[in-house]
């Protein structure tokens, strides 16, 4: 997923058959060309397909059989027996993942379609019921004595390759509840956070904004914040503020409820802080995240404050307004990028690094693995969903022809390539911790940017390209760490009691002022812009992963420039490892260590270097 991403206005379109990149695939005709639609038949032929029904029944049968065979018996298993149990568990995991990927992707194609929403909700509830018997597995596994655990996972005929998965599982032992409570939380999940998440998604998808007499959805309205016309940008910002403000009580209720629910569960699990569970899930030490956060917040004056002061000068303004933050430079020529050009740009950049990288990305375009067009009801933003290791990832975009959309394409394809390579690890080991999940995506962006920069000779366009990259990096590093701070403060304040919308607004404005700096003044209404950030709702404390990924990639790219010989193979090895290794092991071949505070300063220095280059260019 891209952080803090703004898009262009939605074009008129219509869906046609047999117009996609390959015969039999559908595409959406737009002013940017024929944009591919997903072909979800690789998962299931249709929403009422007998294969889907059969797999649902198989989940129920296999889960019940698994519980009957293993509940109360895990500690007595020998190494081959434990390997068999894990592989059976993984088989169920693949079935569940395939089913939920299919209904989830269909839902994100049109979140306002009641039939799709109902199917996803009904199947989620059925899957939850079916998998309740499996809750014992992690709980009982964590009670296996340490000496027996070590013997099982070092035996030659045992599950040794799965040890990283279960090491992470056992890290949760101090925070594990009773079997009965864990089963209750599992059953209750569909009416807890999941229900509030769905309310948020459907509310956001249904929002409309009146801008200069035109009705727009969220993507199109956010897109106008990058328009060349300052009046249009202001109109969009004010329309966004009005709609968010009209619904701020609902958004405050969602955040209050989710934060309180998390606090209750964290209390029972004896989590030392609201963010601690995310660090455990990411397999990253809290002190590493704090080193990152501290390095970035110390760099606010040198990076964001400095850059926005320059931008105010370029725009001829004493102060920037929020609608100027991602504005194009006055010297930048407005340009629309067709889909075919975007495809070629990214594939060429990938091939310039390694032909293999381009080969891994190409099927996304040709086989219906990308859904690119903006359509009514479609979820906003962009993401790459790995689905299951026996299938392939799917990429969602909302492509509107902006140069930044090309970078989004490069970003999401990086995720897709990473997911394809990691799939060889199998279902349980393929998932990459969030701290490393942004590596290939940000690296793909960097490759694309460097290619475009090298090919640009016009000083004005070079300046625009550099400025765009700096803004992307600020959005990825500074903004995401400020979002992380917002969450830290919000959860801390919620622990003291219910938060009013004004309370949340004040936290947002404090963080915005600190991170964006004195070059800005903030219009009335900007205080509600926290309400549309989906990460706060779906994945609390996820956002630092973006900054982690950007800093890591900056350090990686510097290593690539310093010693390109053999780098590609080490890079592919790192991506192929998936979740089978800790970040220390993955970065060691490159001579990098994320626990070293100098590591983060090195990554931030690349942003400062780009700002230096901008300052050296004529106004």
């Amino acid at each position: 997923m891209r952080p803090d991403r703004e898009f262009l206005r939605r074009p008129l379109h219509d869906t046609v058959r047999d117009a996609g990149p390959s015969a039999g695939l559908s595409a959406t005709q737009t002013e940017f060309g024929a944009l591919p639609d997903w072909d979800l038949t690789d998962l299931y032929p249709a929403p009422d397909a007998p294969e889907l029904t059969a797999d649902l029944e198989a989940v129920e049968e296999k889960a019940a059989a698994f519980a009957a065979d293993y509940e109360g018996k895990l500690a007595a298993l020998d190494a081959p027996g434990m390997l068999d149990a894990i592989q059976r568990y993984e088989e169920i995991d693949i079935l569940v993942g395939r089913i939920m990927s299919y209904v989830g992707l269909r839902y994100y194609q049109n979140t306002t379609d009641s039939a799709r929403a109902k199917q996803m909700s009904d199947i989620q509830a059925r899957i939850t019921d079916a998998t309740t018997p499996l809750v014992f597995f992690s709980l009982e596994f964590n009670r296996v004595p340490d000496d027996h655990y070590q013997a099982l996972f070092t035996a030659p005929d045992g599950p040794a390759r799965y040890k990283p998965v279960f090491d992470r599982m056992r890290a949760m032992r101090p925070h594990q509840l009773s079997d009965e409570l864990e089963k209750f939380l599992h059953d209750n999940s569909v009416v807890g956070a999941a229900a509030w998440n769905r309310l948020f998604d459907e509310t956001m998808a249904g929002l409309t904004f009146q801008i200069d007499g035109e009705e727009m959805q969220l993507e199109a309205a956010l897109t106008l914040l990058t328009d060349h016309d300052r009046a249009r940008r202001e109109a969009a910002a004010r329309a966004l503020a009005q709609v968010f403000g009209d619904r701020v009580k609902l958004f405050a209720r969602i955040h209050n409820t989710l934060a309180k629910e998390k606090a209750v569960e964290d209390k029972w699990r004896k989590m030392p802080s609201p963010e601690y569970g995310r660090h455990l899930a990411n397999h990253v030490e809290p002190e590493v995240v704090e080193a990152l956060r501290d390095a970035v917040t110390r760099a606010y004056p040198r990076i964001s404050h400095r850059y926005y002061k320059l931008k105010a000068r370029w725009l001829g303004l004493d102060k920037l307004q929020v609608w100027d933050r991602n504005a194009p430079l006055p010297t930048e020529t407005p340009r629309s990028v067709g889909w075919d050009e975007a495809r070629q740009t990214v594939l060429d950049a990938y091939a310039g690094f390694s032909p293999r990288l381009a080969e891994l990305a190409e099927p996304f375009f040709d086989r219906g693995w990308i859904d690119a067009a903006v359509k009514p009801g479609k979820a906003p933003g962009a993401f790459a969903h790995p689905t299951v290791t026996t299938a392939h990832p799917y990429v969602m975009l909302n492509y509107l022809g902006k140069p930044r959309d090309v970078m989004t394409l490069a970003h999401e394809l990086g995720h897709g390539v990473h997911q394809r390579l990691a799939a060889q690890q199998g279902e349980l080991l393929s998932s990459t911790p969030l701290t490393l999940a942004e590596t290939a995506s940000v690296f793909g962006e960097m490759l694309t940017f460097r290619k475009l920069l090298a090919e640009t000779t016009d000083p004005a366009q070079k300046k625009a390209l550099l400025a765009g990259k700096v803004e992307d990096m600020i959005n990825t590093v500074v903004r995401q760490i400020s979002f992380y701070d917002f969450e830290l403060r919000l959860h801390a304040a919620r622990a003291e009691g219910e938060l009013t919308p004004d309370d949340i607004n004040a936290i947002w404005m404090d963080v915005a002022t600190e991170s964006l700096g004195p070059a800005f003044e903030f219009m009335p209404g900007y205080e509600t812009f926290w309400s549309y950030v989906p990460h706060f709702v779906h994945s609390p404390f996820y956002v630092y992963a973006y900054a982690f990924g950007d800093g890591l990639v900056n350090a990686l790219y510097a290593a690539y420039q310093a010693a390109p010989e053999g780098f590609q193979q080490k890079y592919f090895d790192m991506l192929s490892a998936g979740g089978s290794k800790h970040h220390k092991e993955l970065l060691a071949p490159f001579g990098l260590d994320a626990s070293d505070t100098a590591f983060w300063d090195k990554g931030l220095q690349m942003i400062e270097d780009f700002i230096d280059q901008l300052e050296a260019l004529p106004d």
Side-chain angles (χ1 to χ4, degrees), residues 97-161:
R98 180 177 286 269
I99 292 166
M100 292 311 303
S101 293
Y102 178 72
V103 297
L105 292 173
R106 283 192 76 247
Y107 170 72
Y108 282 119
Q109 281 182 303
N110 188 353
T111 62
T112 57
D113 181 336
S114 58
R116 295 182 190 221
K118 174 177 167 53
Q119 183 183 41
M120 188 177 75
S121 179
D122 289 348
I123 288 181
Q124 176 68 75
R126 186 171 171 183
I127 290 289
T128 299
D129 290 342
T131 55
T132 296
L134 301 180
V135 172
F136 84 91
F137 184 67
S138 61
L139 306 178
E140 197 171 310
F141 194 95
N142 281 347
R143 290 196 291 267
V144 172
D146 286 341
D147 56 348
H148 186 44
Y149 173 78
Q150 291 301 326
L152 288 172
F153 281 86
T154 53
D157 55 351
R161 69 178 301 267

Side-chain angles (χ1 to χ4, degrees), residues 27 67 80 113 122 246 260 264 436 440 486 497 552 619:
D113 181 336
D122 289 348
D246 289 346
K260 183 61 176 179
V264 170
L436 294 174
F486 170 77
L552 190 154
D619 280 351

Side-chain angles (χ1 to χ4, degrees), residues 46 57 63 106 165 172 192 197-198 295 330 347 370 373-374 406 416 479 486 518 530 578 599 616:
E57 292 170 354
R106 283 192 76 247
V165 177
M172 281 294 295
N197 281 198
R198 181 177 163 188
L347 289 180
I370 298 178
V374 179
V406 181
R479 290 281 284 169
F486 170 77
W530 54 269
F599 173 88

Side-chain angles (χ1 to χ4, degrees), residues 436 573-575 577-578 581-590:
L436 294 174
D573 289 345
M574 178 177 67
L575 300 188
K581 294 181 179 179
H582 188 269
H583 62 79
K584 279 185 176 290
E585 293 177 83
L586 290 172
L587 294 177
F590 304 96

Side-chain angles (χ1 to χ4, degrees), residues 169-236:
M169 182 187 292
R170 285 171 77 84
M172 281 294 295
R173 280 190 297 172
H175 312 289
Q176 188 169 293
L177 303 177
S178 69
D179 292 11
E180 188 175 14
L181 273 175
E182 293 287 359
K183 288 179 180 179
F184 167 76
L185 289 173
H186 180 83
D187 284 347
N188 196 57
S189 63
V190 292
V191 293
W196 290 97
N197 281 198
R198 181 177 163 188
L199 173 62
F200 175 83
D201 288 342
E202 292 177 359
T203 300
M204 297 308 298
L207 295 182
T208 57
F209 304 85
Q210 296 292 330
I211 302 172
D212 294 341
E214 184 179 356
E215 184 175 278
M216 300 180 184
Q217 291 179 299
L218 179 62
E219 288 289 353
L222 290 172
T223 286
L224 286 182
L225 296 178
T226 65
D227 200 273
H228 274 263
D229 185 340
R230 192 169 191 246
R232 290 277 282 170
R233 297 198 306 270
E234 179 179 355

Side-chain angles (χ1 to χ4, degrees), residues 265-530:
E265 185 170 336
D266 284 350
K267 176 184 174 183
W268 279 82
R269 293 193 183 281
K270 297 182 171 58
M271 292 286 183
S273 67
E275 69 275 16
Y276 189 79
R278 176 64 65 196
H279 302 335
L280 279 179
N282 286 347
H283 201 38
V284 64
E285 301 77 15
E287 56 269 22
V288 171
V289 180
E290 285 310 297
L292 164 64
R293 176 189 171 276
D294 291 347
V296 174
T297 54
R298 282 196 309 269
Y300 283 170
R302 306 195 312 271
I303 295 177
S304 51
H305 297 186
R306 176 188 173 201
Y307 174 76
Y308 289 126
K309 183 179 179 181
L310 285 171
K311 186 164 188 177
R313 191 183 80 203
W314 296 331
L315 295 177
L317 300 170
D318 292 329
K319 289 282 188 180
L320 295 174
Q321 295 287 347
V322 294
W323 54 82
D324 299 315
R325 187 170 64 83
N326 285 322
L329 301 188
T331 55
E332 184 176 344
T333 304
R335 180 167 179 258
S336 181
V337 182
W339 179 250
D340 289 343
E341 181 185 348
R343 167 186 171 143
Q344 201 59 49
T345 297
V346 175
L347 289 180
D348 285 351
Y350 276 30
F353 173 75
S354 166
R356 184 184 177 197
L357 194 63
E359 289 166 8
L360 286 162
E362 200 152 8
F364 286 86
F365 295 96
D366 298 334
R367 300 184 190 174
W369 298 1
I370 298 178
D371 198 291
V374 179
K375 306 165 198 173
K378 183 177 174 181
F383 62 74
H385 188 340
T387 69
V388 287
T389 54
T390 55
H392 57 78
Y394 284 91
V395 163
M396 192 193 83
L397 305 172
N398 279 276
Y399 188 83
L400 290 159
K402 197 77 167 174
R404 282 183 174 180
D405 292 344
V406 181
M407 291 298 177
T408 301
L409 173 61
H411 181 102
E412 300 305 340
L413 281 176
H415 277 308
V417 166
H418 193 174
Q419 291 158 357
R420 290 194 72 195
L421 287 167
Q424 64 189 270
Q425 295 290 341
E427 196 66 23
L428 295 182
L429 281 163
S430 63
S431 180
T432 306
L434 291 182
T435 43
L436 294 174
E438 296 298 327
T439 305
S441 54
V442 179
F443 197 84
E445 278 191 83
M446 182 64 79
L447 292 173
T448 305
F449 165 73
R450 295 280 186 174
K451 178 181 186 296
L452 292 173
L453 188 66
E455 294 174 351
T456 303
T457 56
D458 177 74
Q461 291 308 308
K462 186 179 284 286
K463 183 175 183 178
L465 193 61
L466 269 170
K469 182 59 176 172
V470 168
E471 289 183 13
D472 278 348
M473 295 172 95
I474 288 174
N475 284 340
T476 306
V477 179
V478 170
R479 290 281 284 169
Q480 299 310 307
I481 289 300
S482 75
F483 286 179
Y484 179 62
D485 264 353
F486 170 77
E487 290 188 274
L488 291 172
R489 298 182 197 190
L490 182 140
H491 283 262
R494 182 64 181 91
E496 302 299 317
E498 178 88 5
L499 299 176
T500 67
D502 286 344
D503 293 333
I504 304 177
N505 292 348
I507 296 171
W508 176 258
M509 291 308 300
D510 284 346
V511 167
T513 301
E514 291 166 11
S515 60
L516 296 179
F520 278 89
E521 62 183 23
F522 299 99
M523 69 168 185
Y526 181 67
E527 65 274 7
T528 64
F529 273 46
W530 54 269

